[in-house]
mmCIF file of all heavy atoms in Angstrom:
data_model
loop_
_atom_site.group_PDB
_atom_site.id
_atom_site.type_symbol
_atom_site.label_atom_id
_atom_site.label_comp_id
_atom_site.label_asym_id
_atom_site.label_seq_id
_atom_site.Cartn_x
_atom_site.Cartn_y
_atom_site.Cartn_z
ATOM 1 N N PHE A 1 79.961 61.886 20.752
ATOM 2 C CA PHE A 1 79.185 60.783 20.185
ATOM 3 C C PHE A 1 78.403 61.264 18.930
ATOM 4 O O PHE A 1 77.885 62.376 18.893
ATOM 5 C CB PHE A 1 78.181 60.258 21.191
ATOM 6 C CG PHE A 1 78.775 59.580 22.390
ATOM 7 C CD1 PHE A 1 78.178 59.665 23.620
ATOM 8 C CD2 PHE A 1 79.966 58.849 22.295
ATOM 9 C CE1 PHE A 1 78.736 59.031 24.733
ATOM 10 C CE2 PHE A 1 80.541 58.243 23.365
ATOM 11 C CZ PHE A 1 79.933 58.339 24.621
ATOM 12 N N ALA A 2 78.295 60.411 17.927
ATOM 13 C CA ALA A 2 77.392 60.602 16.767
ATOM 14 C C ALA A 2 77.480 62.034 16.224
ATOM 15 O O ALA A 2 76.477 62.680 15.981
ATOM 16 C CB ALA A 2 75.976 60.264 17.158
ATOM 17 N N GLY A 3 78.727 62.494 15.992
ATOM 18 C CA GLY A 3 78.918 63.878 15.625
ATOM 19 C C GLY A 3 78.174 64.330 14.393
ATOM 20 O O GLY A 3 77.647 65.441 14.335
ATOM 21 N N ALA A 4 78.124 63.477 13.373
ATOM 22 C CA ALA A 4 77.426 63.868 12.132
ATOM 23 C C ALA A 4 75.911 63.940 12.354
ATOM 24 O O ALA A 4 75.254 64.876 11.863
ATOM 25 C CB ALA A 4 77.756 62.859 11.029
ATOM 26 N N SER A 5 75.373 63.026 13.102
ATOM 27 C CA SER A 5 73.921 63.063 13.384
ATOM 28 C C SER A 5 73.552 64.244 14.254
ATOM 29 O O SER A 5 72.532 64.902 14.034
ATOM 30 C CB SER A 5 73.503 61.746 14.063
ATOM 31 O OG SER A 5 73.511 60.660 13.181
ATOM 32 N N VAL A 6 74.376 64.528 15.241
ATOM 33 C CA VAL A 6 74.066 65.660 16.138
ATOM 34 C C VAL A 6 74.146 66.987 15.363
ATOM 35 O O VAL A 6 73.314 67.882 15.543
ATOM 36 C CB VAL A 6 75.017 65.670 17.342
ATOM 37 C CG1 VAL A 6 74.817 66.893 18.180
ATOM 38 C CG2 VAL A 6 74.792 64.418 18.188
ATOM 39 N N ALA A 7 75.126 67.120 14.475
ATOM 40 C CA ALA A 7 75.201 68.324 13.646
ATOM 41 C C ALA A 7 73.974 68.457 12.755
ATOM 42 O O ALA A 7 73.425 69.557 12.598
ATOM 43 C CB ALA A 7 76.482 68.287 12.802
ATOM 44 N N ALA A 8 73.522 67.351 12.200
ATOM 45 C CA ALA A 8 72.307 67.363 11.371
ATOM 46 C C ALA A 8 71.086 67.727 12.196
ATOM 47 O O ALA A 8 70.185 68.448 11.720
ATOM 48 C CB ALA A 8 72.098 66.019 10.679
ATOM 49 N N LEU A 9 71.033 67.268 13.425
ATOM 50 C CA LEU A 9 69.900 67.602 14.308
ATOM 51 C C LEU A 9 69.926 69.094 14.654
ATOM 52 O O LEU A 9 68.859 69.715 14.819
ATOM 53 C CB LEU A 9 69.952 66.761 15.608
ATOM 54 C CG LEU A 9 69.590 65.302 15.417
ATOM 55 C CD1 LEU A 9 69.993 64.493 16.633
ATOM 56 C CD2 LEU A 9 68.067 65.154 15.153
ATOM 57 N N PHE A 10 71.111 69.670 14.759
ATOM 58 C CA PHE A 10 71.198 71.127 14.963
ATOM 59 C C PHE A 10 70.589 71.834 13.764
ATOM 60 O O PHE A 10 69.777 72.773 13.918
ATOM 61 C CB PHE A 10 72.649 71.555 15.162
ATOM 62 C CG PHE A 10 72.813 73.036 15.349
ATOM 63 C CD1 PHE A 10 72.754 73.581 16.628
ATOM 64 C CD2 PHE A 10 73.048 73.863 14.288
ATOM 65 C CE1 PHE A 10 72.904 74.958 16.833
ATOM 66 C CE2 PHE A 10 73.209 75.227 14.451
ATOM 67 C CZ PHE A 10 73.127 75.780 15.727
ATOM 68 N N LEU A 11 70.972 71.440 12.550
ATOM 69 C CA LEU A 11 70.389 72.061 11.348
ATOM 70 C C LEU A 11 68.870 71.885 11.281
ATOM 71 O O LEU A 11 68.152 72.806 10.853
ATOM 72 C CB LEU A 11 71.051 71.464 10.103
ATOM 73 C CG LEU A 11 72.546 71.619 9.909
ATOM 74 C CD1 LEU A 11 72.979 71.006 8.603
ATOM 75 C CD2 LEU A 11 72.963 73.079 10.003
ATOM 76 N N ASP A 12 68.414 70.741 11.703
ATOM 77 C CA ASP A 12 66.983 70.421 11.661
ATOM 78 C C ASP A 12 66.174 71.451 12.440
ATOM 79 O O ASP A 12 65.003 71.736 12.088
ATOM 80 C CB ASP A 12 66.751 69.018 12.196
ATOM 81 C CG ASP A 12 65.310 68.563 12.110
ATOM 82 O OD1 ASP A 12 64.867 68.272 10.995
ATOM 83 O OD2 ASP A 12 64.624 68.530 13.152
ATOM 84 N N LYS A 13 66.743 72.040 13.468
ATOM 85 C CA LYS A 13 66.040 73.036 14.249
ATOM 86 C C LYS A 13 65.699 74.278 13.449
ATOM 87 O O LYS A 13 64.770 75.044 13.804
ATOM 88 C CB LYS A 13 66.907 73.478 15.441
ATOM 89 C CG LYS A 13 67.196 72.399 16.486
ATOM 90 C CD LYS A 13 68.163 72.924 17.541
ATOM 91 C CE LYS A 13 68.469 71.874 18.616
ATOM 92 N NZ LYS A 13 67.329 71.632 19.506
ATOM 93 N N PHE A 14 66.420 74.506 12.345
ATOM 94 C CA PHE A 14 66.231 75.734 11.584
ATOM 95 C C PHE A 14 65.474 75.523 10.288
ATOM 96 O O PHE A 14 65.218 76.465 9.542
ATOM 97 C CB PHE A 14 67.612 76.357 11.259
ATOM 98 C CG PHE A 14 68.354 76.760 12.522
ATOM 99 C CD1 PHE A 14 69.199 75.861 13.167
ATOM 100 C CD2 PHE A 14 68.163 78.029 13.064
ATOM 101 C CE1 PHE A 14 69.853 76.215 14.322
ATOM 102 C CE2 PHE A 14 68.828 78.382 14.217
ATOM 103 C CZ PHE A 14 69.674 77.485 14.858
ATOM 104 N N VAL A 15 65.077 74.288 10.013
ATOM 105 C CA VAL A 15 64.258 73.957 8.844
ATOM 106 C C VAL A 15 62.812 73.991 9.281
ATOM 107 O O VAL A 15 62.446 73.438 10.321
ATOM 108 C CB VAL A 15 64.617 72.606 8.269
ATOM 109 C CG1 VAL A 15 63.743 72.273 7.064
ATOM 110 C CG2 VAL A 15 66.093 72.571 7.847
ATOM 111 N N GLY A 16 61.972 74.661 8.486
ATOM 112 C CA GLY A 16 60.581 74.785 8.839
ATOM 113 C C GLY A 16 59.883 73.458 9.033
ATOM 114 O O GLY A 16 60.226 72.438 8.411
ATOM 115 N N GLU A 17 58.888 73.471 9.888
ATOM 116 C CA GLU A 17 58.162 72.245 10.224
ATOM 117 C C GLU A 17 57.497 71.661 8.972
ATOM 118 O O GLU A 17 56.934 72.388 8.147
ATOM 119 C CB GLU A 17 57.081 72.581 11.259
ATOM 120 C CG GLU A 17 56.371 71.357 11.834
ATOM 121 C CD GLU A 17 55.403 71.705 12.938
ATOM 122 O OE1 GLU A 17 55.359 72.911 13.350
ATOM 123 O OE2 GLU A 17 54.694 70.814 13.431
ATOM 124 N N ASP A 18 57.592 70.334 8.854
ATOM 125 C CA ASP A 18 56.968 69.572 7.788
ATOM 126 C C ASP A 18 57.549 69.854 6.393
ATOM 127 O O ASP A 18 56.993 69.393 5.379
ATOM 128 C CB ASP A 18 55.444 69.825 7.736
ATOM 129 C CG ASP A 18 54.751 69.378 9.004
ATOM 130 O OD1 ASP A 18 55.183 68.390 9.607
ATOM 131 O OD2 ASP A 18 53.777 70.046 9.403
ATOM 132 N N ILE A 19 58.684 70.521 6.305
ATOM 133 C CA ILE A 19 59.327 70.723 4.999
ATOM 134 C C ILE A 19 60.192 69.517 4.676
ATOM 135 O O ILE A 19 60.920 68.999 5.525
ATOM 136 C CB ILE A 19 60.193 72.033 5.016
ATOM 137 C CG1 ILE A 19 59.289 73.265 5.109
ATOM 138 C CG2 ILE A 19 61.068 72.105 3.781
ATOM 139 C CD1 ILE A 19 60.065 74.562 5.224
ATOM 140 N N ASP A 20 60.093 69.070 3.437
ATOM 141 C CA ASP A 20 60.936 67.956 2.955
ATOM 142 C C ASP A 20 62.354 68.485 2.823
ATOM 143 O O ASP A 20 62.622 69.430 2.035
ATOM 144 C CB ASP A 20 60.372 67.480 1.614
ATOM 145 C CG ASP A 20 61.060 66.231 1.118
ATOM 146 O OD1 ASP A 20 61.844 65.627 1.863
ATOM 147 O OD2 ASP A 20 60.758 65.821 -0.037
ATOM 148 N N TRP A 21 63.298 67.871 3.548
ATOM 149 C CA TRP A 21 64.678 68.405 3.638
ATOM 150 C C TRP A 21 65.656 67.241 3.597
ATOM 151 O O TRP A 21 65.464 66.226 4.258
ATOM 152 C CB TRP A 21 64.820 69.227 4.915
ATOM 153 C CG TRP A 21 66.248 69.540 5.299
ATOM 154 C CD1 TRP A 21 67.147 70.268 4.616
ATOM 155 C CD2 TRP A 21 66.918 69.104 6.507
ATOM 156 N NE1 TRP A 21 68.336 70.328 5.306
ATOM 157 C CE2 TRP A 21 68.217 69.636 6.469
ATOM 158 C CE3 TRP A 21 66.503 68.340 7.604
ATOM 159 C CZ2 TRP A 21 69.147 69.407 7.489
ATOM 160 C CZ3 TRP A 21 67.416 68.105 8.632
ATOM 161 C CH2 TRP A 21 68.711 68.644 8.567
ATOM 162 N N ALA A 22 66.740 67.460 2.832
ATOM 163 C CA ALA A 22 67.835 66.511 2.825
ATOM 164 C C ALA A 22 69.152 67.254 3.048
ATOM 165 O O ALA A 22 69.313 68.382 2.547
ATOM 166 C CB ALA A 22 67.887 65.727 1.517
ATOM 167 N N HIS A 23 70.086 66.644 3.753
ATOM 168 C CA HIS A 23 71.348 67.247 4.090
ATOM 169 C C HIS A 23 72.470 66.289 3.728
ATOM 170 O O HIS A 23 72.460 65.121 4.116
ATOM 171 C CB HIS A 23 71.350 67.545 5.596
ATOM 172 C CG HIS A 23 72.716 67.724 6.195
ATOM 173 N ND1 HIS A 23 73.617 68.670 5.779
ATOM 174 C CD2 HIS A 23 73.328 67.049 7.244
ATOM 175 C CE1 HIS A 23 74.727 68.598 6.501
ATOM 176 N NE2 HIS A 23 74.566 67.627 7.395
ATOM 177 N N PHE A 24 73.451 66.791 2.944
ATOM 178 C CA PHE A 24 74.625 66.023 2.576
ATOM 179 C C PHE A 24 75.827 66.547 3.361
ATOM 180 O O PHE A 24 76.211 67.712 3.213
ATOM 181 C CB PHE A 24 74.923 66.175 1.080
ATOM 182 C CG PHE A 24 74.049 65.379 0.167
ATOM 183 C CD1 PHE A 24 72.930 65.948 -0.427
ATOM 184 C CD2 PHE A 24 74.310 64.042 -0.123
ATOM 185 C CE1 PHE A 24 72.105 65.222 -1.245
ATOM 186 C CE2 PHE A 24 73.508 63.305 -0.951
ATOM 187 C CZ PHE A 24 72.406 63.908 -1.523
ATOM 188 N N ASP A 25 76.403 65.701 4.175
ATOM 189 C CA ASP A 25 77.692 66.006 4.844
ATOM 190 C C ASP A 25 78.766 65.352 3.982
ATOM 191 O O ASP A 25 79.036 64.183 4.078
ATOM 192 C CB ASP A 25 77.678 65.411 6.256
ATOM 193 C CG ASP A 25 78.851 65.858 7.110
ATOM 194 O OD1 ASP A 25 79.873 66.250 6.530
ATOM 195 O OD2 ASP A 25 78.745 65.800 8.345
ATOM 196 N N THR A 26 79.350 66.171 3.091
ATOM 197 C CA THR A 26 80.253 65.671 2.074
ATOM 198 C C THR A 26 81.701 66.089 2.364
ATOM 199 O O THR A 26 81.920 67.064 3.062
ATOM 200 C CB THR A 26 79.821 66.173 0.686
ATOM 201 O OG1 THR A 26 80.624 65.570 -0.328
ATOM 202 C CG2 THR A 26 79.915 67.690 0.571
ATOM 203 N N PHE A 27 82.658 65.356 1.838
ATOM 204 C CA PHE A 27 84.053 65.689 2.036
ATOM 205 C C PHE A 27 84.575 66.669 0.997
ATOM 206 O O PHE A 27 85.451 67.479 1.249
ATOM 207 C CB PHE A 27 84.877 64.388 1.998
ATOM 208 C CG PHE A 27 86.287 64.534 2.536
ATOM 209 C CD1 PHE A 27 86.566 65.210 3.711
ATOM 210 C CD2 PHE A 27 87.350 63.967 1.856
ATOM 211 C CE1 PHE A 27 87.845 65.318 4.201
ATOM 212 C CE2 PHE A 27 88.656 64.063 2.333
ATOM 213 C CZ PHE A 27 88.891 64.748 3.513
ATOM 214 N N ALA A 28 84.049 66.574 -0.226
ATOM 215 C CA ALA A 28 84.418 67.455 -1.339
ATOM 216 C C ALA A 28 85.888 67.373 -1.709
ATOM 217 O O ALA A 28 86.432 68.309 -2.296
ATOM 218 C CB ALA A 28 84.031 68.907 -1.023
ATOM 219 N N TRP A 29 86.508 66.263 -1.386
ATOM 220 C CA TRP A 29 87.945 66.139 -1.643
ATOM 221 C C TRP A 29 88.288 64.665 -1.879
ATOM 222 O O TRP A 29 87.719 63.775 -1.222
ATOM 223 C CB TRP A 29 88.741 66.644 -0.440
ATOM 224 C CG TRP A 29 90.229 66.742 -0.695
ATOM 225 C CD1 TRP A 29 91.178 65.825 -0.349
ATOM 226 C CD2 TRP A 29 90.937 67.805 -1.294
ATOM 227 N NE1 TRP A 29 92.413 66.243 -0.713
ATOM 228 C CE2 TRP A 29 92.299 67.491 -1.304
ATOM 229 C CE3 TRP A 29 90.524 69.040 -1.844
ATOM 230 C CZ2 TRP A 29 93.267 68.339 -1.817
ATOM 231 C CZ3 TRP A 29 91.481 69.900 -2.358
ATOM 232 C CH2 TRP A 29 92.851 69.524 -2.353
ATOM 233 N N ARG A 30 89.192 64.402 -2.806
ATOM 234 C CA ARG A 30 89.650 63.052 -3.047
ATOM 235 C C ARG A 30 91.133 62.988 -2.691
ATOM 236 O O ARG A 30 91.954 63.598 -3.355
ATOM 237 C CB ARG A 30 89.444 62.674 -4.500
ATOM 238 C CG ARG A 30 89.622 61.183 -4.775
ATOM 239 C CD ARG A 30 89.081 60.811 -6.130
ATOM 240 N NE ARG A 30 87.657 61.114 -6.290
ATOM 241 C CZ ARG A 30 86.692 60.395 -5.753
ATOM 242 N NH1 ARG A 30 86.987 59.306 -5.051
ATOM 243 N NH2 ARG A 30 85.425 60.728 -5.941
ATOM 244 N N PRO A 31 91.499 62.263 -1.602
ATOM 245 C CA PRO A 31 92.889 62.234 -1.179
ATOM 246 C C PRO A 31 93.809 61.439 -2.070
ATOM 247 O O PRO A 31 95.034 61.603 -2.017
ATOM 248 C CB PRO A 31 92.799 61.620 0.231
ATOM 249 C CG PRO A 31 91.533 60.853 0.242
ATOM 250 C CD PRO A 31 90.581 61.575 -0.686
ATOM 251 N N ALA A 32 93.251 60.557 -2.924
ATOM 252 C CA ALA A 32 94.070 59.768 -3.833
ATOM 253 C C ALA A 32 93.316 59.626 -5.133
ATOM 254 O O ALA A 32 92.089 59.484 -5.160
ATOM 255 C CB ALA A 32 94.377 58.399 -3.251
ATOM 256 N N ALA A 33 94.054 59.645 -6.235
ATOM 257 C CA ALA A 33 93.422 59.613 -7.556
ATOM 258 C C ALA A 33 92.883 58.213 -7.878
ATOM 259 O O ALA A 33 93.443 57.191 -7.454
ATOM 260 C CB ALA A 33 94.427 60.011 -8.628
ATOM 261 N N LYS A 34 91.765 58.178 -8.599
ATOM 262 C CA LYS A 34 91.189 56.981 -9.213
ATOM 263 C C LYS A 34 90.857 57.314 -10.653
ATOM 264 O O LYS A 34 90.758 58.499 -11.009
ATOM 265 C CB LYS A 34 89.932 56.540 -8.464
ATOM 266 C CG LYS A 34 90.146 56.129 -7.004
ATOM 267 C CD LYS A 34 88.856 55.704 -6.356
ATOM 268 C CE LYS A 34 89.057 55.273 -4.904
ATOM 269 N NZ LYS A 34 87.797 54.847 -4.270
ATOM 270 N N PRO A 35 90.705 56.326 -11.529
ATOM 271 C CA PRO A 35 90.394 56.645 -12.926
ATOM 272 C C PRO A 35 89.182 57.569 -13.034
ATOM 273 O O PRO A 35 88.112 57.289 -12.491
ATOM 274 C CB PRO A 35 90.117 55.282 -13.554
ATOM 275 C CG PRO A 35 90.974 54.356 -12.727
ATOM 276 C CD PRO A 35 90.899 54.866 -11.345
ATOM 277 N N GLY A 36 89.381 58.699 -13.712
ATOM 278 C CA GLY A 36 88.295 59.661 -13.887
ATOM 279 C C GLY A 36 88.075 60.581 -12.702
ATOM 280 O O GLY A 36 87.219 61.474 -12.758
ATOM 281 N N ARG A 37 88.814 60.346 -11.609
ATOM 282 C CA ARG A 37 88.592 61.089 -10.379
ATOM 283 C C ARG A 37 89.963 61.515 -9.810
ATOM 284 O O ARG A 37 90.521 60.823 -8.971
ATOM 285 C CB ARG A 37 87.835 60.223 -9.377
ATOM 286 C CG ARG A 37 86.394 59.935 -9.778
ATOM 287 C CD ARG A 37 85.909 58.603 -9.274
ATOM 288 N NE ARG A 37 86.509 57.492 -10.008
ATOM 289 C CZ ARG A 37 86.240 56.219 -9.742
ATOM 290 N NH1 ARG A 37 85.380 55.891 -8.794
ATOM 291 N NH2 ARG A 37 86.835 55.254 -10.425
ATOM 292 N N PRO A 38 90.505 62.641 -10.280
ATOM 293 C CA PRO A 38 91.830 63.049 -9.850
ATOM 294 C C PRO A 38 91.867 63.433 -8.384
ATOM 295 O O PRO A 38 90.858 63.784 -7.779
ATOM 296 C CB PRO A 38 92.148 64.221 -10.756
ATOM 297 C CG PRO A 38 90.818 64.750 -11.180
ATOM 298 C CD PRO A 38 89.913 63.579 -11.248
ATOM 299 N N LYS A 39 93.056 63.440 -7.844
ATOM 300 C CA LYS A 39 93.274 63.910 -6.468
ATOM 301 C C LYS A 39 92.893 65.376 -6.401
ATOM 302 O O LYS A 39 93.180 66.173 -7.278
ATOM 303 C CB LYS A 39 94.719 63.732 -6.068
ATOM 304 C CG LYS A 39 95.058 64.166 -4.659
ATOM 305 C CD LYS A 39 96.530 63.954 -4.337
ATOM 306 C CE LYS A 39 96.885 64.467 -2.959
ATOM 307 N NZ LYS A 39 98.328 64.259 -2.648
ATOM 308 N N GLY A 40 92.264 65.765 -5.272
ATOM 309 C CA GLY A 40 91.906 67.150 -5.062
ATOM 310 C C GLY A 40 90.424 67.327 -4.909
ATOM 311 O O GLY A 40 89.699 66.408 -4.511
#
């Protein structure tokens, strides 16, 4: 269940208390080309 949220909660355990933190779970890949955005 909620795999992305649970993974983020795991990371949250290692970030210091009260620190402003943001986490991007990104794909870093484009499976099909779009104008200006090639495949890869």
Side-chain angles (χ1 to χ4, degrees):
F1 294 146
S5 288
V6 174
L9 287 166
F10 180 89
L11 299 182
D12 184 73
K13 294 174 181 289
F14 297 90
V15 179
E17 187 175 355
D18 298 326
I19 292 176
D20 188 7
W21 165 62
H23 159 58
F24 284 95
D25 190 337
T26 186
F27 194 46
W29 189 264
R30 193 166 300 284
K34 297 181 180 180
R37 292 150 288 180
K39 180 180 178 180

